[in-house]
């Protein structure tokens, strides 16, 4: 719980659900430990270079598949050529729990079980930002599951037509879950601001924000 009162869950847009305080402190601490292990390699955490020569202010690591602008590969040709860490079964199960929490049990009756096979983990220090973008490098249109740990951020969730308005700014605090799928699967979104010092050290994060996003790539 953040502050004196519980924050209500919210339907931010059709298919986009914010569930505050979904992860317990113990679950967050376990995820921080896993992220620290992934950050050491085989493909270490890094600032991703964009095709235009720019460098992202967040630092990123991947499991399951390696993401580089704008494709997925099994090896990190833009870092050290090593294969990425495998996507663990326990993380896929967490993704299924998250989807059920956001949409309800049996949210996809008769359809395939949610089977995320990659996670992008972004670390934001106090100065890091993420511009408005779409998650569209996957062949699957399955929902994206996003988990936040550490400092609170302003998460800007827009529309599928462009980077501008209309959009909604949502504060994502440590432990929050955000899922977007269906009509909102390809909505533009970004992080214009992080609030340094707003996290709880009990999670294992002395500062900064971790964002773990699970996706189905749809790749073989």
């Amino acid at each position: 719980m953040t502050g004196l009162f519980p924050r209500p869950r919210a339907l931010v847009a059709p298919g986009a659900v914010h569930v505050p305080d979904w992860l317990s402190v113990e679950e967050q601490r376990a995820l921080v430990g896993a992220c620290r292990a992934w950050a050491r390699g085989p493909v270490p955490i890094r600032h991703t270079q964009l095709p235009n020569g720019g460098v992202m202010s967040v630092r990123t690591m991947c499991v399951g598949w390696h993401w580089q602008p704008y494709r997925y590969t099994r090896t990190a040709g833009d870092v050290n050529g090593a294969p990425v860490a495998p996507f663990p079964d326990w993380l896929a199960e967490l993704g299924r729990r998250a989807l059920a929490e956001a949409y309800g049990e049996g949210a996809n009756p008769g359809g395939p079980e949610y089977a995320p096979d990659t996670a992008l983990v972004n670390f934001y220090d106090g100065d890091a930002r993420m511009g408005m973008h779409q998650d569209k490098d996957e062949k699957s249109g399955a929902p994206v599951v996003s988990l936040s740990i550490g400092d609170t951020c302003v998460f800007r969730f827009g529309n599928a037509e462009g980077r501008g308005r209309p959009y909604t700014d949502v504060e994502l605090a440590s432990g929050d879950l955000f899922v977007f799928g269906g009509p909102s699967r390809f909505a533009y979104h970004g992080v214009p601001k992080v609030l340094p010092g707003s996290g709880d050290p009990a999670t294992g994060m002395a500062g900064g924000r971790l964002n773990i996003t699970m996706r189905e790539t749809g790749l073989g």
Side-chain angles (χ1 to χ4, degrees), residues 141-156:
V144 174
V145 169
S146 172
L147 303 171
S148 296
I149 305 174
D151 287 339
T152 297
C153 80
V154 176
F155 180 61
R156 182 161 291 170

Side-chain angles (χ1 to χ4, degrees), residues 46-56 67-71 78 133 136-137 163:
R46 90 287 189 195
H47 290 281
T48 301
Q49 185 166 354
L50 300 170
N52 64 8
V55 177
M56 294 175 66
W67 179 83
Q68 57 183 297
Y70 293 97
R71 62 194 177 97
D78 61 333
H133 66 283
K136 62 178 183 179
D137 299 323
R163 292 179 172 83

